[in-house]
Amino acid sequence: MRYSVRLKFVFTVVMLALSIAATARAQNPPDSDPRAFLEKARASMVVITAEKASGEPMAPGVGFFVGRNLIATDLSVVISAGRIRVQPAGQDPKVDVSTYNNNRLVTILTVVRADGQPLTLGDSDKVAVNDRVFLLDYSKNEGTLSGGIVTKLGTSTDSRCFQISAPITSSSRGAPVFNSKGEVIGIAGESSGQSQGTVMPVSYLTTLLTYVTGPGVSTGVGVGRGAGVGPSPSQGLPSLGPGSGEFGGGGTPSSNASASSVDVKPVPLNNATPHYTEEARRNNTQGTVMMRVLVGADGLVKQVRIVRGLPDGLSERAIAAARQLKFRPAMKDGQAVPYWVSLQMDFNLR
């Protein structure tokens, strides 16, 4: 009888332990096998090629679909490009990019003829040192996955970032960085050493997606609004907006040299009309280039940063026109001070 009671007690303890283990596994699922999400990642990748306004080719990069016609990449892949083209995985023809928007160093490209499979975005705010990560190195429609860990949390060009123990090459610049569950937690930026890479957190991307598609709009269906293509009703002097708070190319690295608040904002004194490029006319490219401009204490334009660009050399034409503007400078406490303003220039074929 005592033996039977002891046996029942042992059996009960074993079953209780198994039940607790099963519950723990359900609450904390094991890490995904990287091979399981590699194929999906490959199908969502694109190769990005760009040219300067002069026609000179730029170093290629990669990107990945975050919507059916929306592609995410690092700003360095497309900055100052006159023409941007993408080649989705497994497809021969290249597709022209109609517009691009950026938040800090993260960029979303909008393409007209594409139907991509968006990747799942994770929560980069939970990234911690020693977390396991995977980087997809993609070239020639092939992808290889390399593993590493998060080695440091920090900043780059006034933007939050983290470093990983995996080098970033030309064929992985702009690529997704995954956590162990197969979720995208960042975008590969620049190599910061032989075995180190800098990654921009995906939180910048999710914020930008809301801006591009509008609140409550799914990025996996249809064409996101807010891409910036189409005629604009504004005429006359360049349109100015608030001096802070908009998305911009890498933020405002020189903002420490400009006033954060002023008594009187800059006022444009002349007009500058950007001219069409022949390629833009041939491709019937229209829309609005959004910029941020640093107006110096002397009323002259010191810096121009693209917020939302146009292809076919129109962004470069807008920058050139912006540099011809003169302003009545911003005033603070009776003194002229540098100040960032928002500026837009319209391109309409009539």
Side-chain angles (χ1 to χ4, degrees):
M1 177 66 69
R2 291 180 179 176
Y3 178 79
S4 176
V5 171
R6 188 179 299 113
L7 183 61
K8 288 182 179 179
F9 175 75
V10 172
F11 178 77
T12 302
V13 170
V14 171
M15 293 302 295
L16 180 61
L18 291 175
S19 176
I20 293 174
T23 302
R25 282 195 300 270
Q27 293 176 347
N28 300 289
D31 291 344
S32 301
D33 183 346
R35 292 170 296 182
F37 56 80
L38 176 57
E39 290 303 319
K40 180 180 179 181
R42 283 175 176 165
S44 300
M45 296 295 295
V46 301
V47 175
I48 301 172
T49 55
E51 299 175 355
K52 297 181 179 179
S54 61
E56 179 184 356
M58 298 169 58
V62 296
F64 57 97
F65 280 99
V66 290
R68 288 178 60 180
N69 69 318
L70 303 175
I71 297 167
T73 188
D74 187 77
L75 179 63
S76 65
V77 177
V78 298
I79 190 68
S80 301
R83 183 182 189 183
I84 308 169
R85 310 186 80 188
V86 300
Q87 183 176 10
Q91 299 183 23
D92 291 331
K94 295 182 179 180
V95 181
D96 279 314
V97 171
S98 58
T99 60
Y100 71 89
N101 302 266
N102 54 281
N103 179 15
R104 301 289 176 165
L105 300 180
V106 173
T107 299
I108 291 181
L109 311 176
T110 303
V111 290
V112 177
R113 298 183 304 277
D115 189 9
Q117 179 63 41
L119 293 178
T120 302
L121 305 183
D123 185 357
S124 57
D125 291 338
K126 296 181 179 179
V127 172
V129 173
N130 293 325
D131 280 357
R132 191 182 181 199
V133 294
F134 300 92
L135 172 65
L136 183 63
D137 191 293
Y138 186 82
S139 63
K140 297 181 180 179
N141 290 329
E142 297 179 358
T144 57
L145 211 61
S146 58
I149 62 171
V150 176
T151 59
K152 181 181 179 181
L153 305 178
T155 60
S156 175
T157 319
D158 293 337
S159 302
R160 290 185 300 107
C161 68
F162 57 91
Q163 290 188 337
I164 60 175
S165 61
I168 295 174
T169 65
S170 59
S171 54
S172 60
R173 191 168 51 113
V177 177
F178 300 93
N179 61 16
S180 56
K181 298 178 181 179
E183 301 168 332
V184 180
I185 55 171
I187 299 178
E190 299 178 349
S191 179
S192 53
Q194 190 171 7
S195 59
Q196 294 283 326
T198 299
V199 178
M200 300 306 298
V202 79
S203 57
Y204 288 130
L205 176 59
T206 53
T207 300
L208 184 58
L209 272 170
T210 301
Y211 170 73
V212 173
T213 62
V217 179
S218 171
T219 58
V221 181
V223 179
R225 63 179 177 87
V229 177
S232 173
S234 59
Q235 301 291 337
L237 291 176
S239 174
L240 298 179
S244 62
E246 291 86 7
F247 298 115
T252 57
S254 300
S255 58
N256 58 344
S258 64
S260 58
S261 62
V262 293
D263 301 323
V264 179
K265 295 181 180 181
V267 177
L269 300 176
N270 67 326
N271 193 13
T273 303
H275 299 288
Y276 258 89
T277 62
E278 290 301 318
E279 187 173 16
R281 290 185 183 279
R282 287 196 304 270
N283 295 332
N284 195 34
T285 303
Q286 300 186 84
T288 301
V289 175
M290 303 292 295
M291 297 170 283
R292 296 201 66 201
V293 172
L294 178 60
V295 179
D298 57 1
L300 300 180
V301 173
K302 304 300 182 181
Q303 293 189 43
V304 181
R305 298 190 178 278
I306 294 292
V307 176
R308 186 173 67 200
L310 288 173
D312 300 331
L314 295 186
S315 291
E316 283 66 29
R317 292 294 176 89
I319 291 174
R323 292 191 177 278
Q324 302 301 314
L325 293 172
K326 295 181 180 180
F327 293 80
R328 184 181 300 123
M331 302 295 292
K332 184 177 180 65
D333 299 328
Q335 299 292 325
V337 292
Y339 191 70
W340 285 93
V341 298
S342 295
L343 176 71
Q344 73 176 44
M345 291 195 178
D346 304 318
F347 291 86
N348 298 307
L349 289 171
R350 288 182 170 84

